[in-house]
Amino acid sequence: MTHSDSADTAPPGGPATGHAAGGGNPHADGHSHAEGHSHAHAHGHSHAHAHGPAAPVSRHLRKVIAAVLVPFAAAVLTGLVVLWPGGAPDHKHDHSGVGFDRPTFAAKVVGLAEVDCDKVNVQQPPASSGGAAQTPGGTRQGGSHGPCHKAKIEVTEGKDKGHTFTEVVPPDATRTYSVGQGVVVGYAEKAPRNLQYSVVDADRDVPMLLLAGIFALVVVAVGRLRGVLALAGLVISFAVLTLFILPAILQGSNPLVVAVVGGSAIMLTTLYLCHGLSARTSVAVLGTLVSLLLIGLLGSLFIGWARLTGNTDDQTSLVHGLYPGIEIRGLLLAGVLIGSLGVLDDVTVTQTSAVWELREADPGASWLRIYRSAMRIGRDHIASVVNTLVLAYAGAALPLLLLFSIARSDVTMVATSEVVAEEIVRTLVGSIGLVASVPVTTLLAALVVSADRGGRSSGARPSIPAPSPGVPAAARRPAVSGGRGRRRKPK
């Protein structure tokens, strides 16, 4: 059976040629049924809407979408050029030996010996602390009392390669050592020689790299080409974060402006890379952009209204101490935007794809019907996404919540304290943006697919040539190809 896929084969408003010409498709466009008679052809053309990806939208709609996105992309590119830092800034003053602001080197544990805590001047914790059970005799069960250990550490890189020093491990220490274990040591140049090196962390390169490899393997095995593109997008996101966003903030640029420009660059690059340059992806970009704007406005309003400073943990205090010029409140809002971006992409792409598939399944549906159907899908998505976001933030703040539980503080006092209020504002503002992205993106997608259908098909039933006067009614019916032979001529 031969399909006629071009609407240009019939003159505008003229008769549709098809079966009457000998077994062709009676549609002027073989891939779009006219509105109002999508069920009028039950002779095997229902497969016409399952030919791979959705058909591209009309040229007019492409121009309309480009008129919105091209200036936006140009503004993002301009922002990248203007704010590009060119690398992390040099220290303008000496902070050697403070926190993370000191050089680190690889080392390993070459010896471990048990020593008396009193001989190494380590004070034992009180017998009543720590929550361990105490027997009537006064001894602790499962507590931290016990011998100390002295670990011998050897530096394995740098100018002092081969240098060894000792590290005392108290019995209540959370970090323990074993012979041959890799560690990371920090170097303080101005400290006494025997105190210049100290263990700051464990070497966990192998398990982290192995886990990253397993993640990449699973993504590629399940997603195939899309998985490879997703990994490429992840690399681009990490590159923008480390080469642009972080150095630009350190050099004193407004964190909110940097986050908007960097997040927009990540969004444009990853969405088009993973989902292709199409109207469907462009609608998802527009929906994400509107939702990010809403998150930025709400975040700015409530962070200022609640008088949140953003300086609530040791890391933020250290950054502020090293770089006083960084606007900490803007850094908090920037974190809210970047943290919401990944989930927003998921929601907007899912809703846009749902609208396109609904339109392909029922080309005759109005935009309102498509919107309502897609919103039923979106509501299920909202319930799971909001719960996921709240639990993610709660999990990150679990030690803090545990401290408040131990203190037996009032719920209201806990919720309104700055440390917890910051997480509440972060969670609720991001969740509002996520929820709002569903109807916004769904509406945009429904209007685009409906307008595109209107531009590609007039919505009228293909006309049938008017019969000449005197022609019997039997001859007015179009011929049907089905292998039954030619109709008998009327007598």
Side-chain angles (χ1 to χ4, degrees), residues 28 40 46 68-69 120 150 195 230 241 246 252 261 273 279 320 349 387:
S46 60
V68 177
L69 289 181
V120 291
K150 182 180 290 187
L195 300 177
L241 185 64
L246 298 180
V261 173
L273 176 65
H320 186 60
V349 169
N387 195 42

Side-chain angles (χ1 to χ4, degrees), residues 238-298:
F238 185 75
V240 173
L241 185 64
T242 56
L243 298 180
F244 172 71
I245 295 179
L246 298 180
I249 292 176
L250 289 178
Q251 286 195 345
S253 299
N254 187 289
L256 179 58
V257 176
V258 172
V260 170
V261 173
S264 300
I266 291 173
M267 174 186 66
L268 290 172
T269 305
T270 55
L271 282 180
Y272 283 116
L273 176 65
C274 297
H275 303 284
L277 190 63
S278 64
R280 179 187 297 189
T281 308
S282 300
V283 171
V285 169
L286 289 175
T288 305
L289 182 61
V290 173
S291 302
L292 279 179
L293 179 62
L294 177 61
I295 291 175
L297 292 176
L298 288 176

Side-chain angles (χ1 to χ4, degrees), residues 75-91:
V76 171
L77 183 60
T78 303
L80 287 173
V81 173
V82 172
L83 298 174
W84 191 265
D90 295 330
H91 296 304

Side-chain angles (χ1 to χ4, degrees), residues 362-396:
D362 189 1
S366 64
W367 72 268
L368 185 58
R369 182 178 176 183
I370 294 176
Y371 173 78
R372 288 174 176 172
S373 299
M375 278 302 299
R376 285 193 290 269
I377 300 174
R379 290 186 187 100
D380 292 336
H381 204 181
I382 286 173
S384 59
V385 167
V386 169
N387 195 42
T388 299
L389 192 63
V390 171
L391 291 179
Y393 282 126

